[in-house]
Amino acid sequence: MSMKNRFRGKDFLTLMDFTPVEIDFILRTAADFKRKLARKEPHEYLRGRTIAMLFEKPSTRTRFSFQAAAAHLGAYTFFAMPQQLQLSRGEPIKDTARIIDRYCDALVIRTFGQEVVEEYAEYMVNPVINALTDLTHPCQGLADLLTIREHKGRFRGLKLAYVGDLWNVCQTLMVVSSLMGIDMYIARPKGYEPAEEILKFAEEHAEERGSQIVLTTDLEEAVRGADVVYANTFHSMGGPELEKEKRIRDFAPYQINSEVLSLAKEDVIFMHCLPGYRGEEMTDEVIEGPHSVVFDQGENRMHTEKAVLALFVP
Ligand code: CP
Ligand code: NVA
């Protein structure tokens, strides 16, 4: 089967389900779409298709980037939050899933537990696309890789330093770093750990690729000589935000400010999945500074999601 047809009809639930070669193909497809858009070349490969979007948490980037990508592809999107649906009155997921499946060619879903996206996938024939769960944010992971490659030209051997909570975005970066051969250093206060299944996956794959995933309490160790410095909130939507004040206190020594960033390589890029909280995980000077690529990164959400839609929607 050609690489192009390998994804058709499949679910996109976590990047742990894909090989480095497959991820590379999705990235190349995204880069191709980015060029097409810049040249104003039409690419309505999904003309008339219908895509349901069900979001249980707020979103700016994921929502609009999927909707823009789908529009460029000629597809229609229908957006709803669960409280607007009969789900809020107790209709089971398995019934909701089978009904959406009869109307729509794909479901893009943002929710809490990974088991929720898995349940939709079980009851739908058409693809389910994970638009963020507590465990992982695979769409973010693709955009991050595309951005890194655009700025650094490669993955293998790069050093990425991460600060932020050890939740979906951190866990996705662990997965993609280990698959693509990036050395990832996570600086965090004692007592905060990623999900065990992610750590196990990342350690095993990093070893295969000759890279490393390092958890440290020492911010300087993480940032010194880094090619990429990546910040994320200390209090993600869902669980972590319930202990927001405590987390802001615990993570305060891990802020990326200009002094910290100066420990990295001279041509370091500063990344952030956004939304960002100035004065917490980074200073205004850093996010607005010359190393910051956060808006290129945000833009790349649209190009990578377009690739996912074009490749996965049957
Ligand atoms: N980075 C990201 O997923 O942003 P939104 O929550 O705005 O979608
Ligand atoms: N880790 C953040 C990412 C938001 C896109 C959260 O889950 O809130």
Side-chain angles (χ1 to χ4, degrees):
M1 193 195 294
S2 79
M3 186 61 99
K4 200 168 149 216
N5 292 323
R6 177 185 291 220
F7 305 96
R8 193 83 48 221
K10 281 201 177 155
D11 297 311
F12 181 75
L13 303 185
T14 160
L15 289 168
M16 291 189 281
D17 294 338
F18 300 96
T19 64
V21 172
E22 288 171 333
I23 292 173
D24 182 65
F25 185 80
I26 301 172
L27 296 178
R28 281 191 283 125
T29 305
D32 195 41
F33 276 128
K34 190 169 179 172
R35 278 189 293 273
K36 280 192 166 64
L37 191 67
R39 294 190 201 123
K40 298 194 167 48
E41 273 175 44
H43 44 280
E44 294 191 340
Y45 301 148
L46 296 181
R47 193 193 290 262
R49 296 310 156 73
T50 50
I51 295 161
M53 298 183 57
L54 181 55
F55 278 40
E56 212 163 338
K57 295 177 178 175
S59 170
T60 299
R61 278 143 289 270
T62 311
R63 174 179 183 164
F64 287 143
S65 56
F66 262 109
Q67 290 185 311
H72 296 157
L73 291 168
Y76 298 92
T77 52
F78 313 122
F79 182 90
M81 305 221 29
Q83 61 266 32
Q84 299 167 316
L85 305 183
Q86 298 290 9
L87 279 165
S88 63
R89 296 177 59 246
E91 184 167 22
I93 287 175
K94 60 183 180 182
D95 294 0
T96 310
R98 282 175 288 183
I99 288 297
I100 292 174
D101 208 30
R102 299 291 176 109
Y103 308 145
C104 295
D105 299 298
L107 169 66
V108 177
I109 178 167
R110 168 170 285 200
T111 186
F112 293 85
Q114 187 73 8
E115 68 284 356
V116 177
V117 293
E118 284 166 3
E119 190 173 349
Y120 276 96
E122 187 186 338
Y123 286 96
M124 285 183 63
V125 175
N126 285 325
V128 173
I129 297 170
N130 181 354
L132 178 141
T133 58
D134 296 346
L135 187 77
T136 188
H137 195 2
C139 295
Q140 184 70 53
L142 289 179
D144 295 348
L145 286 177
L146 183 62
T147 311
I148 292 171
R149 189 142 78 187
E150 284 174 347
H151 287 271
K152 297 287 163 199
R154 67 192 165 103
F155 299 124
R156 199 179 269 277
L158 292 179
K159 178 176 180 182
L160 182 151
Y162 172 90
V163 301
D165 65 12
L166 286 84
W167 193 244
N168 38 32
V169 169
C170 175
Q171 292 174 166
T172 306
L173 285 168
M174 290 169 72
V175 168
V176 295
S177 295
S178 68
L179 286 172
M180 306 317 266
I182 298 171
D183 291 327
M184 180 176 177
Y185 284 68
I186 302 162
R188 61 22 167 158
K190 217 169 172 227
Y192 290 92
E193 305 298 338
E196 227 164 84
E197 67 170 291
I198 301 283
L199 186 60
K200 190 166 171 275
F201 177 97
E203 283 179 346
E204 276 171 22
H205 286 78
E207 200 180 321
E208 274 170 32
R209 312 280 296 173
S211 63
Q212 40 180 348
I213 304 292
V214 179
L215 283 143
T216 175
T217 53
D218 183 352
L219 179 62
E220 198 178 315
E221 182 195 357
V223 175
R224 191 170 290 286
D227 302 279
V228 179
V229 172
Y230 195 119
N232 179 23
T233 181
F234 299 147
H235 41 84
S236 286
M237 300 176 283
E241 71 187 345
L242 302 175
E243 25 178 71
K244 182 172 166 183
E245 299 313 320
K246 179 179 175 344
R247 279 168 180 262
I248 290 175
R249 269 197 316 276
D250 290 355
F251 281 82
Y254 295 89
Q255 183 188 72
I256 305 297
N257 52 38
S258 299
E259 200 186 322
V260 172
L261 198 63
S262 71
L263 298 170
K265 287 214 177 108
E266 229 168 274
D267 63 350
V268 64
I269 54 170
F270 174 76
M271 298 179 70
H272 195 307
C273 57
L274 304 177
Y277 299 88
R278 289 163 169 82
E280 293 184 15
E281 70 272 16
M282 84 265 145
T283 55
D284 184 68
E285 209 180 9
V286 164
I287 190 170
E288 300 292 350
H291 297 285
S292 175
V293 298
V294 300
F295 297 105
D296 293 346
Q297 184 185 355
E299 177 188 327
N300 281 339
R301 295 293 307 278
M302 181 177 70
H303 306 301
T304 44
E305 284 152 17
K306 191 183 288 178
V308 170
L309 291 175
L311 292 169
F312 286 69
V313 173

